[in-house]
Amino acid sequence: MAETALMPWDRPAPEKAGKPSVWSLLPEDFEAMGAPGRAAHLFNRLHRVHLWKEGAPWISKALREWVATETDASLPEILERHPSMDGSTKLVLRLSDGHRIEAVHMPRKVRSPRVTYCISSQVGCAMGCTFCATGAMGILRNLTAGEIVGQVIALMRDLGPDRGEQVTLVFMGMGEPLHNLDHVHRAIRVLGEIEGLGLSAKRITVSTSGLVSGIEKLARLRPRPLLALSLNATHDEARSATMPVNKVWNLARLRQALDAWGLQRGEKFTFEYVLLAGVNDTPEDAQRLGDWLGDLRRGHNVNLIPMNEHDHSTFHEPAEDRIQAFSDRLKAQGCFVTVRRSRGRDVRAACGQLVKEKA
Ligand code: SAH
Ligand code: SF4
């Protein structure tokens, strides 16, 4: 019988030369690699973060030795913590080769307690959006699945979650996650393992600048995370000027990819729109945005993000009345709108900025 070809996302994540990161492995990988004892139990001990917080988790000597000899169990190192007035903390983490990435911890105490981790998928980004500090860095490299999961584990061990806090994850830190889909998806599978964090894909959002080839691939994957789209302009000329990806896949093509996604019950899109003063913040833009959304105006979310100003871009945040008028115009068209003040503005939270400053 012919062997079924493995799809890229079925393959174990390729790791740097040497031992695989223990954080990239699923229970079945432990089994295939001959780990002593029950694979699910080993996975459980390593990934249940609260066990670490209560002191080292109990792992038998044989398992400990196996992990040390057969795998790389290192985690990204937290170098800096920048707490903000709004309760969020921006962190700088160091990867094993010295590269730095950023992540944000955002607890919410009101209503049901929840914590959101905003994480990175790449060191830098190749997409070159002109308003973005990460874009100004260019791309240095992809993160491996082990580094993505390791980032989450490192954050959780450092800052929570507290017991009872619901965890959500957003790929809205550094990088274009759909440029690194194999590793991002592998990480989503590991994080979703019921013996570990059990973080369902429905609580994970992948944000993209509109890489249509990646959206189409992701649409077919299971488990499938939620999708956020960074629109940031309402006609092709303006979008291509700030987001080079639009020259390859324009707004009409992007809309087609969303129609083909095949929304399932409980799934929602998030549309992000960075408001740039005098560039994309007119009432006509708001009207065109609603028109482009069409039947997606209802049941989905539009996040307006006033430009987070930084030294690597000349764009500015619009005045308050302008932001309000834009939001009102969208709401009048039936959209569900939130204005998202970037968390941690007082610690220069524009993504990539802390790392860029160091460079
Ligand atoms: N690369 C992905 C995810 C990371 S960027 C993407 O572009 O979607 C996460 C969000 O931050 C995107 O919506 C992006 O448009 C927004 N963003 C980038 N630079 C910003 C800035 N200076 N101020 C406000 N939002 C910004
Ligand atoms: Fe990359 Fe997103 Fe920044 Fe664009 S906005 S440069 S895609 S990180």
Side-chain angles (χ1 to χ4, degrees), residues 125 131-133 171-173 175-177 207-209 230 232 272 274 305-310 340 342 350:
C125 181
F131 44 80
C132 173
F171 280 89
M172 292 183 189
E176 166 53 59
S207 173
T208 178
S209 56
S230 302
N232 305 341
E272 295 160 284
V274 180
I305 319 170
M307 169 72 189
N308 211 333
E309 296 176 16
H310 55 85
R340 202 176 77 201
S342 292

PDB file of all heavy atoms in Angstrom, residues 125 131-133 171-173 175-177 207-209 230 232 272 274 305-310 340 342 350, ligand 1:
ATOM      1  N   CYS A 125      10.499  40.672  11.497  1.00  0.00           N
ATOM      2  CA  CYS A 125       9.406  40.341  10.574  1.00  0.00           C
ATOM      3  C   CYS A 125       9.803  40.794   9.170  1.00  0.00           C
ATOM      4  O   CYS A 125      10.445  41.834   9.005  1.00  0.00           O
ATOM      5  CB  CYS A 125       8.116  41.042  10.983  1.00  0.00           C
ATOM      6  SG  CYS A 125       6.717  40.654   9.895  1.00  0.00           S
ATOM      7  N   PHE A 131       4.338  51.269   9.530  1.00  0.00           N
ATOM      8  CA  PHE A 131       3.985  51.858  10.832  1.00  0.00           C
ATOM      9  C   PHE A 131       4.534  51.021  11.993  1.00  0.00           C
ATOM     10  O   PHE A 131       4.352  51.355  13.151  1.00  0.00           O
ATOM     11  CB  PHE A 131       2.453  51.954  10.963  1.00  0.00           C
ATOM     12  CG  PHE A 131       1.761  50.694  10.499  1.00  0.00           C
ATOM     13  CD1 PHE A 131       1.687  49.580  11.304  1.00  0.00           C
ATOM     14  CD2 PHE A 131       1.228  50.613   9.209  1.00  0.00           C
ATOM     15  CE1 PHE A 131       1.103  48.411  10.872  1.00  0.00           C
ATOM     16  CE2 PHE A 131       0.645  49.445   8.749  1.00  0.00           C
ATOM     17  CZ  PHE A 131       0.573  48.336   9.591  1.00  0.00           C
ATOM     18  N   CYS A 132       5.206  49.909  11.683  1.00  0.00           N
ATOM     19  CA  CYS A 132       5.481  48.899  12.713  1.00  0.00           C
ATOM     20  C   CYS A 132       6.965  48.843  13.078  1.00  0.00           C
ATOM     21  O   CYS A 132       7.821  48.770  12.191  1.00  0.00           O
ATOM     22  CB  CYS A 132       5.008  47.540  12.187  1.00  0.00           C
ATOM     23  SG  CYS A 132       5.451  46.154  13.246  1.00  0.00           S
ATOM     24  N   ALA A 133       7.255  48.860  14.370  1.00  0.00           N
ATOM     25  CA  ALA A 133       8.649  48.837  14.827  1.00  0.00           C
ATOM     26  C   ALA A 133       9.302  47.489  14.530  1.00  0.00           C
ATOM     27  O   ALA A 133      10.485  47.424  14.197  1.00  0.00           O
ATOM     28  CB  ALA A 133       8.713  49.137  16.327  1.00  0.00           C
ATOM     29  N   PHE A 171      -1.181  35.562  18.926  1.00  0.00           N
ATOM     30  CA  PHE A 171       0.076  35.706  18.179  1.00  0.00           C
ATOM     31  C   PHE A 171       0.081  37.113  17.593  1.00  0.00           C
ATOM     32  O   PHE A 171      -0.163  37.307  16.409  1.00  0.00           O
ATOM     33  CB  PHE A 171       0.173  34.647  17.077  1.00  0.00           C
ATOM     34  CG  PHE A 171       0.607  33.298  17.567  1.00  0.00           C
ATOM     35  CD1 PHE A 171      -0.336  32.364  18.007  1.00  0.00           C
ATOM     36  CD2 PHE A 171       1.950  32.955  17.613  1.00  0.00           C
ATOM     37  CE1 PHE A 171       0.054  31.110  18.460  1.00  0.00           C
ATOM     38  CE2 PHE A 171       2.354  31.697  18.068  1.00  0.00           C
ATOM     39  CZ  PHE A 171       1.404  30.782  18.498  1.00  0.00           C
ATOM     40  N   MET A 172       0.302  38.090  18.470  1.00  0.00           N
ATOM     41  CA  MET A 172       0.317  39.488  18.029  1.00  0.00           C
ATOM     42  C   MET A 172       1.588  40.190  18.488  1.00  0.00           C
ATOM     43  O   MET A 172       1.657  41.410  18.547  1.00  0.00           O
ATOM     44  CB  MET A 172      -0.900  40.252  18.577  1.00  0.00           C
ATOM     45  CG  MET A 172      -2.214  39.802  17.985  1.00  0.00           C
ATOM     46  SD  MET A 172      -3.580  40.776  18.599  1.00  0.00           S
ATOM     47  CE  MET A 172      -4.978  39.864  17.950  1.00  0.00           C
ATOM     48  N   GLY A 173       2.583  39.391  18.872  1.00  0.00           N
ATOM     49  CA  GLY A 173       3.874  39.979  19.229  1.00  0.00           C
ATOM     50  C   GLY A 173       4.698  40.177  17.966  1.00  0.00           C
ATOM     51  O   GLY A 173       4.166  40.556  16.926  1.00  0.00           O
ATOM     52  N   GLY A 175       6.534  39.401  14.587  1.00  0.00           N
ATOM     53  CA  GLY A 175       6.525  38.419  13.509  1.00  0.00           C
ATOM     54  C   GLY A 175       5.187  38.197  12.838  1.00  0.00           C
ATOM     55  O   GLY A 175       4.138  38.557  13.369  1.00  0.00           O
ATOM     56  N   GLU A 176       5.266  37.598  11.657  1.00  0.00           N
ATOM     57  CA  GLU A 176       4.071  37.223  10.895  1.00  0.00           C
ATOM     58  C   GLU A 176       3.903  35.707  11.078  1.00  0.00           C
ATOM     59  O   GLU A 176       4.632  34.910  10.470  1.00  0.00           O
ATOM     60  CB  GLU A 176       4.287  37.603   9.414  1.00  0.00           C
ATOM     61  CG  GLU A 176       3.304  36.997   8.428  1.00  0.00           C
ATOM     62  CD  GLU A 176       1.855  37.237   8.776  1.00  0.00           C
ATOM     63  OE1 GLU A 176       1.425  38.390   8.876  1.00  0.00           O
ATOM     64  OE2 GLU A 176       1.125  36.237   8.963  1.00  0.00           O
ATOM     65  N   PRO A 177       2.951  35.302  11.918  1.00  0.00           N
ATOM     66  CA  PRO A 177       2.863  33.872  12.252  1.00  0.00           C
ATOM     67  C   PRO A 177       2.629  32.967  11.045  1.00  0.00           C
ATOM     68  O   PRO A 177       3.073  31.822  11.040  1.00  0.00           O
ATOM     69  CB  PRO A 177       1.696  33.795  13.243  1.00  0.00           C
ATOM     70  CG  PRO A 177       1.049  35.132  13.250  1.00  0.00           C
ATOM     71  CD  PRO A 177       2.005  36.115  12.668  1.00  0.00           C
ATOM     72  N   SER A 207      -2.812  36.292  14.379  1.00  0.00           N
ATOM     73  CA  SER A 207      -3.046  37.550  13.668  1.00  0.00           C
ATOM     74  C   SER A 207      -2.125  37.633  12.462  1.00  0.00           C
ATOM     75  O   SER A 207      -0.920  37.412  12.555  1.00  0.00           O
ATOM     76  CB  SER A 207      -2.775  38.717  14.620  1.00  0.00           C
ATOM     77  OG  SER A 207      -2.846  39.941  13.922  1.00  0.00           O
ATOM     78  N   THR A 208      -2.712  37.950  11.308  1.00  0.00           N
ATOM     79  CA  THR A 208      -1.906  38.028  10.086  1.00  0.00           C
ATOM     80  C   THR A 208      -2.102  39.359   9.369  1.00  0.00           C
ATOM     81  O   THR A 208      -3.170  39.970   9.442  1.00  0.00           O
ATOM     82  CB  THR A 208      -2.247  36.875   9.108  1.00  0.00           C
ATOM     83  OG1 THR A 208      -1.455  37.029   7.922  1.00  0.00           O
ATOM     84  CG2 THR A 208      -3.712  36.857   8.728  1.00  0.00           C
ATOM     85  N   SER A 209      -1.050  39.741   8.654  1.00  0.00           N
ATOM     86  CA  SER A 209      -1.120  40.963   7.853  1.00  0.00           C
ATOM     87  C   SER A 209      -1.881  40.714   6.544  1.00  0.00           C
ATOM     88  O   SER A 209      -2.099  41.642   5.782  1.00  0.00           O
ATOM     89  CB  SER A 209       0.295  41.434   7.548  1.00  0.00           C
ATOM     90  OG  SER A 209       1.014  40.395   6.909  1.00  0.00           O
ATOM     91  N   SER A 230      -5.124  42.023  10.034  1.00  0.00           N
ATOM     92  CA  SER A 230      -4.731  43.421  10.164  1.00  0.00           C
ATOM     93  C   SER A 230      -5.045  44.105   8.842  1.00  0.00           C
ATOM     94  O   SER A 230      -4.327  43.911   7.866  1.00  0.00           O
ATOM     95  CB  SER A 230      -3.245  43.517  10.477  1.00  0.00           C
ATOM     96  OG  SER A 230      -2.981  42.807  11.665  1.00  0.00           O
ATOM     97  N   ASN A 232      -6.041  47.755   8.229  1.00  0.00           N
ATOM     98  CA  ASN A 232      -5.250  48.998   8.292  1.00  0.00           C
ATOM     99  C   ASN A 232      -5.406  49.945   7.109  1.00  0.00           C
ATOM    100  O   ASN A 232      -4.727  50.973   7.058  1.00  0.00           O
ATOM    101  CB  ASN A 232      -3.760  48.694   8.500  1.00  0.00           C
ATOM    102  CG  ASN A 232      -3.537  47.826   9.729  1.00  0.00           C
ATOM    103  OD1 ASN A 232      -4.392  47.735  10.595  1.00  0.00           O
ATOM    104  ND2 ASN A 232      -2.399  47.175   9.810  1.00  0.00           N
ATOM    105  N   GLU A 272      -8.359  43.976  12.693  1.00  0.00           N
ATOM    106  CA  GLU A 272      -7.592  45.028  13.363  1.00  0.00           C
ATOM    107  C   GLU A 272      -7.377  46.177  12.379  1.00  0.00           C
ATOM    108  O   GLU A 272      -7.142  45.957  11.185  1.00  0.00           O
ATOM    109  CB  GLU A 272      -6.237  44.469  13.812  1.00  0.00           C
ATOM    110  CG  GLU A 272      -6.371  43.388  14.864  1.00  0.00           C
ATOM    111  CD  GLU A 272      -5.118  42.527  14.936  1.00  0.00           C
ATOM    112  OE1 GLU A 272      -4.921  41.672  14.047  1.00  0.00           O
ATOM    113  OE2 GLU A 272      -4.343  42.732  15.875  1.00  0.00           O
ATOM    114  N   VAL A 274      -5.253  49.764  12.452  1.00  0.00           N
ATOM    115  CA  VAL A 274      -4.412  50.765  13.108  1.00  0.00           C
ATOM    116  C   VAL A 274      -4.780  52.126  12.534  1.00  0.00           C
ATOM    117  O   VAL A 274      -4.719  52.335  11.319  1.00  0.00           O
ATOM    118  CB  VAL A 274      -2.907  50.480  12.856  1.00  0.00           C
ATOM    119  CG1 VAL A 274      -2.043  51.527  13.540  1.00  0.00           C
ATOM    120  CG2 VAL A 274      -2.530  49.093  13.351  1.00  0.00           C
ATOM    121  N   ILE A 305      -7.088  50.367  16.599  1.00  0.00           N
ATOM    122  CA  ILE A 305      -5.874  50.557  17.419  1.00  0.00           C
ATOM    123  C   ILE A 305      -5.240  51.885  17.031  1.00  0.00           C
ATOM    124  O   ILE A 305      -4.619  51.979  15.961  1.00  0.00           O
ATOM    125  CB  ILE A 305      -4.842  49.426  17.186  1.00  0.00           C
ATOM    126  CG1 ILE A 305      -5.522  48.056  17.073  1.00  0.00           C
ATOM    127  CG2 ILE A 305      -3.779  49.428  18.270  1.00  0.00           C
ATOM    128  CD1 ILE A 305      -4.606  46.936  16.610  1.00  0.00           C
ATOM    129  N   PRO A 306      -5.428  52.932  17.848  1.00  0.00           N
ATOM    130  CA  PRO A 306      -4.757  54.187  17.519  1.00  0.00           C
ATOM    131  C   PRO A 306      -3.252  53.959  17.445  1.00  0.00           C
ATOM    132  O   PRO A 306      -2.690  53.251  18.293  1.00  0.00           O
ATOM    133  CB  PRO A 306      -5.123  55.109  18.691  1.00  0.00           C
ATOM    134  CG  PRO A 306      -6.346  54.488  19.301  1.00  0.00           C
ATOM    135  CD  PRO A 306      -6.219  53.002  19.081  1.00  0.00           C
ATOM    136  N   MET A 307      -2.623  54.505  16.419  1.00  0.00           N
ATOM    137  CA  MET A 307      -1.182  54.323  16.186  1.00  0.00           C
ATOM    138  C   MET A 307      -0.393  54.526  17.471  1.00  0.00           C
ATOM    139  O   MET A 307      -0.518  55.537  18.145  1.00  0.00           O
ATOM    140  CB  MET A 307      -0.727  55.332  15.129  1.00  0.00           C
ATOM    141  CG  MET A 307       0.777  55.464  14.960  1.00  0.00           C
ATOM    142  SD  MET A 307       1.512  54.026  14.158  1.00  0.00           S
ATOM    143  CE  MET A 307       3.256  54.382  14.379  1.00  0.00           C
ATOM    144  N   ASN A 308       0.412  53.543  17.780  1.00  0.00           N
ATOM    145  CA  ASN A 308       1.323  53.603  18.902  1.00  0.00           C
ATOM    146  C   ASN A 308       2.617  54.228  18.357  1.00  0.00           C
ATOM    147  O   ASN A 308       3.339  53.582  17.599  1.00  0.00           O
ATOM    148  CB  ASN A 308       1.573  52.159  19.347  1.00  0.00           C
ATOM    149  CG  ASN A 308       1.826  52.054  20.805  1.00  0.00           C
ATOM    150  OD1 ASN A 308       2.304  52.987  21.444  1.00  0.00           O
ATOM    151  ND2 ASN A 308       1.520  50.888  21.345  1.00  0.00           N
ATOM    152  N   GLU A 309       2.850  55.469  18.710  1.00  0.00           N
ATOM    153  CA  GLU A 309       3.956  56.192  18.060  1.00  0.00           C
ATOM    154  C   GLU A 309       5.314  55.686  18.542  1.00  0.00           C
ATOM    155  O   GLU A 309       5.454  55.293  19.700  1.00  0.00           O
ATOM    156  CB  GLU A 309       3.811  57.684  18.337  1.00  0.00           C
ATOM    157  CG  GLU A 309       2.531  58.231  17.709  1.00  0.00           C
ATOM    158  CD  GLU A 309       2.285  59.694  18.049  1.00  0.00           C
ATOM    159  OE1 GLU A 309       3.221  60.378  18.515  1.00  0.00           O
ATOM    160  OE2 GLU A 309       1.136  60.144  17.834  1.00  0.00           O
ATOM    161  N   HIS A 310       6.287  55.676  17.666  1.00  0.00           N
ATOM    162  CA  HIS A 310       7.649  55.259  18.036  1.00  0.00           C
ATOM    163  C   HIS A 310       8.652  55.896  17.085  1.00  0.00           C
ATOM    164  O   HIS A 310       8.255  56.475  16.056  1.00  0.00           O
ATOM    165  CB  HIS A 310       7.761  53.726  18.041  1.00  0.00           C
ATOM    166  CG  HIS A 310       7.356  53.083  16.747  1.00  0.00           C
ATOM    167  ND1 HIS A 310       8.211  52.931  15.690  1.00  0.00           N
ATOM    168  CD2 HIS A 310       6.166  52.572  16.320  1.00  0.00           C
ATOM    169  CE1 HIS A 310       7.592  52.338  14.687  1.00  0.00           C
ATOM    170  NE2 HIS A 310       6.333  52.121  15.045  1.00  0.00           N
ATOM    171  N   ARG A 340      -8.979  49.770  20.890  1.00  0.00           N
ATOM    172  CA  ARG A 340      -8.002  49.095  21.742  1.00  0.00           C
ATOM    173  C   ARG A 340      -6.812  50.002  21.965  1.00  0.00           C
ATOM    174  O   ARG A 340      -5.969  50.161  21.092  1.00  0.00           O
ATOM    175  CB  ARG A 340      -7.546  47.795  21.077  1.00  0.00           C
ATOM    176  CG  ARG A 340      -6.977  46.807  22.066  1.00  0.00           C
ATOM    177  CD  ARG A 340      -6.629  45.511  21.403  1.00  0.00           C
ATOM    178  NE  ARG A 340      -5.398  45.612  20.658  1.00  0.00           N
ATOM    179  CZ  ARG A 340      -5.037  44.803  19.665  1.00  0.00           C
ATOM    180  NH1 ARG A 340      -5.833  43.848  19.291  1.00  0.00           N
ATOM    181  NH2 ARG A 340      -3.889  44.952  19.052  1.00  0.00           N
ATOM    182  N   SER A 342      -3.479  50.402  22.979  1.00  0.00           N
ATOM    183  CA  SER A 342      -2.435  49.383  23.124  1.00  0.00           C
ATOM    184  C   SER A 342      -2.056  49.287  24.581  1.00  0.00           C
ATOM    185  O   SER A 342      -1.823  50.306  25.225  1.00  0.00           O
ATOM    186  CB  SER A 342      -1.220  49.738  22.291  1.00  0.00           C
ATOM    187  OG  SER A 342      -1.554  49.649  20.936  1.00  0.00           O
ATOM    188  N   ALA A 350       4.923  49.661  21.696  1.00  0.00           N
ATOM    189  CA  ALA A 350       4.824  49.329  20.271  1.00  0.00           C
ATOM    190  C   ALA A 350       5.680  48.101  20.040  1.00  0.00           C
ATOM    191  O   ALA A 350       6.824  48.052  20.455  1.00  0.00           O
ATOM    192  CB  ALA A 350       5.322  50.483  19.416  1.00  0.00           C
TER     193      ALA A 350
HETATM  194  N1  SAH B   1       2.246  40.302  12.033  1.00  0.00           N
HETATM  195  C1  SAH B   1       0.936  40.109  12.518  1.00  0.00           C
HETATM  196  C2  SAH B   1       0.874  40.050  14.034  1.00  0.00           C
HETATM  197  C3  SAH B   1       1.789  40.982  14.784  1.00  0.00           C
HETATM  198  S1  SAH B   1       1.446  42.703  14.634  1.00  0.00           S
HETATM  199  C4  SAH B   1       0.006  41.172  11.979  1.00  0.00           C
HETATM  200  O1  SAH B   1       0.485  42.129  11.387  1.00  0.00           O
HETATM  201  O2  SAH B   1      -1.197  41.015  12.157  1.00  0.00           O
HETATM  202  C5  SAH B   1       0.009  42.828  15.709  1.00  0.00           C
HETATM  203  C6  SAH B   1      -0.852  44.042  15.439  1.00  0.00           C
HETATM  204  O3  SAH B   1      -0.151  45.244  15.779  1.00  0.00           O
HETATM  205  C7  SAH B   1      -1.264  44.191  13.975  1.00  0.00           C
HETATM  206  O4  SAH B   1      -2.659  44.378  13.888  1.00  0.00           O
HETATM  207  C8  SAH B   1      -0.548  45.447  13.532  1.00  0.00           C
HETATM  208  O5  SAH B   1      -1.290  46.102  12.524  1.00  0.00           O
HETATM  209  C9  SAH B   1      -0.465  46.221  14.821  1.00  0.00           C
HETATM  210  N2  SAH B   1       0.584  47.255  14.857  1.00  0.00           N
HETATM  211  C10 SAH B   1       1.815  47.219  14.310  1.00  0.00           C
HETATM  212  N3  SAH B   1       2.484  48.371  14.563  1.00  0.00           N
HETATM  213  C11 SAH B   1       1.646  49.146  15.291  1.00  0.00           C
HETATM  214  C12 SAH B   1       1.746  50.454  15.870  1.00  0.00           C
HETATM  215  N4  SAH B   1       2.840  51.172  15.733  1.00  0.00           N
HETATM  216  N5  SAH B   1       0.691  50.929  16.566  1.00  0.00           N
HETATM  217  C13 SAH B   1      -0.437  50.186  16.719  1.00  0.00           C
HETATM  218  N6  SAH B   1      -0.580  48.951  16.221  1.00  0.00           N
HETATM  219  C14 SAH B   1       0.438  48.440  15.498  1.00  0.00           C
END
